[in-house]
Amino acid sequence: WTQSKTCYRENTLESKKNKMKKILILLLLISFNSYSQEIVGTWKITSYEDETLYYHKAKDSIAYKDASKADGAEKFKTNTAPFIFAIAYRFDTDGNYVMDNPLEEITGTYTIDKKAQKIIMIEEGDKRSESSYEFKNNTLFLNLDMEGMKETYIKLGLEKVIN
């Protein structure tokens, strides 16, 4: 009788451990999936920042980090801004993305590294890019890492236009 009681306790304990493992795995999958769902949809660029300026299209506000560069405001608004703000990103639930821009459509796959807060995008032809990201006030901010240019950075603010 004591041996069967011990055996029963061990089986029950093992059963509880297995259930806990399954619950933890399920919670992990749910949290990853729901986090990925935040990015699914179509996103349009609404703000642009680099090492010299910050521009928010909807507010039509521009701020220069270096006052000597302020004379380029109109050039930026007429030459560069129309190209940048025409770009849209589409992320689907299967890990595919499309970046539409006036010159071409770039397609590939993406994964989200939640722990490192990075989006890894791999274009067709295996060109890989990583961008750190954050969500703030319904805006997705992507910090584009400019390969080989440590002093150069671009931070894009995107707002979801379609789920």
Side-chain angles (χ1 to χ4, degrees), residues 29-110:
L29 289 172
I30 289 170
S31 69
F32 177 77
N33 191 31
S34 67
Y35 200 79
S36 297
Q37 292 296 324
E38 288 180 349
I39 198 167
V40 171
T42 300
W43 298 80
K44 295 282 286 179
I45 297 175
T46 56
S47 67
Y48 171 90
E49 181 180 359
D50 64 19
E51 65 279 354
T52 59
L53 66 90
Y54 171 82
Y55 181 65
H56 193 284
K57 183 183 178 195
K59 296 177 183 174
D60 194 27
S61 65
I62 192 164
Y64 280 88
K65 298 173 184 178
D66 179 352
S68 69
K69 308 274 185 184
D71 60 340
E74 284 309 309
K75 284 183 185 175
F76 176 81
K77 288 168 112 178
T78 57
N79 298 337
T80 308
F83 176 77
I84 291 169
F85 294 107
I87 296 172
Y89 287 85
R90 291 188 318 248
F91 298 96
D92 72 18
T93 56
D94 296 326
N96 300 301
Y97 82 93
V98 175
M99 183 184 78
D100 286 316
N101 70 56
L103 300 177
E104 65 182 323
E105 181 179 273
I106 297 171
T107 60
T109 59
Y110 76 95

